[in-house]
Amino acid sequence: PRLPAEDEVVIQGVQTGRSMNIGVVIPSTGSYYSRIVHGIHDEFRKNAVQKKKKVVNFNKVCKCEDGSKAHSVLVEGAPGVGKTTFAFELCKQWARGEILQEWGVVVIIKLRDQRTRTAQTINDLLYHPDPEIRHQIVTELVERNGKGMLVILDGYDELTTKQREFGSVIQLLMSRELLCRATLMVTSRPLATRTLHPNFLESIDQHIEVLGFTDKNIEEYINSACGDNPELVEDFKNYLYSHPFSSSLMFNPLQCAIVTDLYRSHWQCGDKGFAPKTLTELYTGLVHTLLLRYLTHHPVHKDRNWRLRDMSKLPEDVKQQLKAVTALAAKGIEKQQYVFDEEDDNVPSETLGLMQREEELTAGIGRSSSHNFLHLTLQEYLAAVHYSQQCDSPEKLSKMLGWNSVITLR
């Protein structure tokens, strides 16, 4: 990535209690789009972040430079870098009375959830199990136009096309027609921010980019994950030193966890040849590890001495289950759906450890169950697996998905 000129941005770093690095991008001149910074890597971090580093307190991420409350805050970051963790940590510290006490109400809305997908009014978004209490709270907040309220919309990149249409309840919030006096924070992957509502883009007071782990964070994570085996720690560090691609992945917390777990699994099996050269190989390794854990605990298959190298020779029933899971992942990507109802969406009876189940108990309604993939990036990978198995040419894939063109990189 190009290093911005000094008149475009100033980047500041901040260390939070959760060992997360945050780059605060402060505008000086030019339009919003000209001051977005993407693709942070280690060289950029050293040249730009550390040299201009100025400690920014976690308590000030929702404030302007003069200390006043920000009207709009944009939080960007690559997939898996920790945007949702950042948002929930903000809420937890507020609830404990540690930060942001100037805001009397803090609400986080997960834009991927089914309730958000079907919400038509602010009353639908701000959930409370007692309808009367919910109506009373919403009425009071609306009458105050959201004064003293912080609303966090988490995962704008996971928002459905329907909810991105002008007139939807989410767009009414972002255009500031609803709760116009509230502070609004939006988290998103960078690629999706160009479709944010113009009113929100023009009113951004604080632009934050979550950068991920520092070298110190990575070392702490390795010691924590492998600390009970000094030989494993030493071998893993030597491996990272000699494999630049794997080492570069460690700055992303999600990828750091995957690389560490995969190396540990291979090391424990006596295989020290693990060395992914692409993200596809990395996620293939992740799926193989999850399948291995599933098989070693399965009542029918657990008696066999499964190894990672056996994952290319799965039992026929597991192959069919995996095929159903990848088909569900692809269906979700096509429909922009990331949470699946257990009954309505034909979730396979066995999800092979690739999905997690959530249960919600609602007063007057009862219990409802839903499933979602462990992470959106995993769903995207499994969808790609499905497409690659269904279509043997870019032309067929283009026709199946209704795309104008598909480019295959070999």
Side-chain angles (χ1 to χ4, degrees):
R2 176 182 61 85
L3 186 65
E6 291 191 6
D7 61 348
E8 289 183 342
V9 295
V10 176
I11 302 181
Q12 299 174 313
V14 57
Q15 190 81 6
T16 75
R18 298 285 292 181
S19 297
M20 186 181 298
N21 219 32
I22 302 169
V24 182
V25 182
I26 301 175
S28 52
T29 60
S31 67
Y32 163 76
Y33 295 118
S34 70
R35 64 180 194 258
I36 299 179
V37 180
H38 304 307
I40 302 296
H41 57 52
D42 196 31
E43 183 180 353
F44 185 100
R45 189 191 309 271
K46 290 177 179 177
N47 291 339
V49 178
Q50 293 181 1
K51 287 183 180 179
K52 299 177 185 247
K53 188 169 183 178
K54 175 184 176 183
V55 175
V56 179
N57 193 288
F58 202 38
N59 192 36
K60 295 182 179 179
V61 295
C62 293
K63 293 182 180 179
C64 300
E65 282 291 285
D66 60 4
S68 61
K69 291 181 179 179
H71 193 55
S72 302
V73 180
L74 174 61
V75 180
E76 286 186 303
V81 81
K83 299 180 294 296
T84 296
T85 300
F86 166 80
F88 274 90
E89 182 64 19
L90 208 65
C91 294
K92 283 165 52 179
Q93 291 195 26
W94 171 81
R96 293 196 296 259
E98 298 172 2
I99 64 171
L100 306 177
Q101 295 306 292
E102 302 93 323
W103 284 266
V105 178
V106 175
V107 176
I108 185 168
I109 300 172
K110 295 174 68 177
L111 298 182
R112 66 182 294 163
D113 283 357
Q114 185 65 25
R115 182 177 293 112
T116 306
R117 292 170 58 87
T118 58
Q120 297 181 350
T121 66
I122 190 69
N123 202 60
D124 298 330
L125 283 177
L126 303 181
Y127 175 75
H128 191 281
D130 188 317
E132 292 186 7
I133 295 178
R134 175 173 60 179
H135 179 72
Q136 179 181 351
I137 293 173
V138 171
T139 300
E140 181 179 348
L141 290 174
V142 171
E143 287 177 351
R144 292 163 48 191
N145 289 320
K147 183 179 180 181
M149 183 180 184
L150 170 61
V151 180
I152 303 174
L153 302 181
D154 180 49
Y156 182 79
D157 50 289
E158 300 176 73
L159 193 64
T160 63
T161 301
K162 183 177 179 181
Q163 285 288 16
R164 293 190 191 192
E165 294 175 354
F166 285 89
S168 71
V169 62
I170 297 297
Q171 293 303 318
L172 290 175
L173 276 172
M174 300 195 69
S175 67
R176 314 322 304 264
E177 294 179 50
L178 275 177
L179 307 179
C180 60
R181 300 182 69 182
T183 296
L184 181 62
M185 174 183 288
V186 177
T187 74
S188 176
R189 293 181 179 183
L191 286 177
T193 56
R194 289 182 178 273
T195 63
L196 288 166
H197 195 285
N199 289 5
F200 178 81
L201 291 175
E202 292 300 322
S203 64
I204 292 176
D205 302 303
Q206 190 76 295
H207 178 193
I208 296 171
E209 183 167 12
V210 181
L211 302 179
F213 283 163
T214 63
D215 292 322
K216 181 180 178 182
N217 299 150
I218 295 171
E219 184 172 0
E220 290 173 349
Y221 183 86
I222 293 173
N223 291 334
S224 175
C226 312
D228 57 342
N229 192 326
E231 183 183 357
L232 171 59
V233 171
E234 185 65 23
D235 284 353
F236 186 34
K237 289 181 179 179
N238 289 335
Y239 161 79
L240 292 174
Y241 182 78
S242 59
H243 292 81
F245 176 73
S246 294
S247 181
S248 70
L249 299 177
M250 299 294 283
F251 293 101
N252 183 299
L254 174 65
Q255 294 170 0
C256 175
I258 296 174
V259 172
T260 303
D261 188 58
L262 289 181
Y263 186 86
R264 181 175 53 194
S265 299
H266 281 262
W267 192 89
Q268 291 170 346
C269 293
D271 177 13
K272 298 185 180 181
F274 164 72
K277 300 179 181 65
T278 65
L279 285 176
T280 298
E281 291 183 6
L282 179 72
Y283 277 90
T284 300
L286 171 63
V287 171
H288 284 177
T289 301
L290 293 172
L291 289 174
L292 176 64
R293 291 174 184 171
Y294 170 81
L295 288 168
T296 53
H297 293 87
H298 193 278
V300 174
H301 301 297
K302 66 180 181 180
D303 293 335
R304 178 175 168 180
N305 185 25
W306 292 99
R307 305 290 290 265
L308 278 169
R309 60 173 175 265
D310 300 326
M311 293 304 99
S312 58
K313 303 175 183 177
L314 295 171
E316 191 58 35
D317 61 325
V318 177
K319 282 184 180 178
Q320 294 304 314
Q321 291 160 358
L322 180 59
K323 186 176 180 180
V325 172
T326 59
L328 182 65
K331 173 186 172 184
I333 294 298
E334 292 171 28
K335 297 173 59 179
Q336 293 181 298
Q337 182 178 358
Y338 311 103
V339 179
F340 303 87
D341 183 85
E342 194 167 60
E343 297 179 0
D344 296 342
D345 294 307
N346 298 317
V347 176
S349 57
E350 294 287 348
T351 58
L352 311 177
L354 303 172
M355 301 181 74
Q356 58 189 1
R357 180 180 179 181
E358 294 182 356
E359 290 197 354
E360 186 175 288
L361 184 62
T362 306
I365 298 177
R367 187 186 304 273
S368 61
S369 298
S370 63
H371 286 75
N372 59 275
F373 288 89
L374 301 182
H375 196 271
L376 176 57
T377 52
L378 178 60
Q379 182 179 348
E380 292 168 336
Y381 167 80
L382 293 171
V385 170
H386 172 78
Y387 294 138
S388 68
Q389 293 173 344
Q390 295 297 311
C391 301
D392 55 6
S393 71
E395 292 75 19
K396 288 184 180 180
L397 182 58
S398 178
K399 184 176 181 180
M400 184 175 77
L401 297 177
W403 292 346
N404 292 327
S405 61
V406 174
I407 300 175
T408 302
L409 303 179
R410 301 184 185 279

